[in-house]
Amino acid sequence: MTENTNSGGGNAGLAFIVGGVVVVLAIVAYFVFSGAAPEPKTVDVNVNLPEVSAPQVPSPTGG
């Protein structure tokens, strides 16, 4: 008769991975829900285009 004395050590890797995921989610949740908004950035866009005029339409010749 053989006695099986498996203590469940095979799940240690899975527990380590799940623990890592929980830590990463806790860090992300801290930054998302901390309420500290980043400083607003002022963006000033100034576009200066040259004056463009349409070409003159030739006048019709009376005929």
Side-chain angles (χ1 to χ4, degrees), residues 8-37:
N11 291 333
L14 180 62
F16 183 74
I17 292 172
V18 171
V21 169
V22 169
V23 169
V24 168
L25 287 177
I27 292 171
V28 170
Y30 173 76
F31 285 110
V32 169
F33 297 115
S34 66

Side-chain angles (χ1 to χ4, degrees), residues 24-61:
V24 168
L25 287 177
I27 292 171
V28 170
Y30 173 76
F31 285 110
V32 169
F33 297 115
S34 66
E39 293 188 22
K41 295 181 180 177
T42 303
V43 177
D44 185 18
V45 178
N46 188 2
V47 179
N48 294 321
L49 297 175
E51 183 68 31
V52 177
S53 60
Q56 294 292 329
V57 177
S59 62
T61 57

Side-chain angles (χ1 to χ4, degrees), residues 1-5:
M1 182 168 169
T2 305
E3 194 173 318
N4 189 359
T5 59

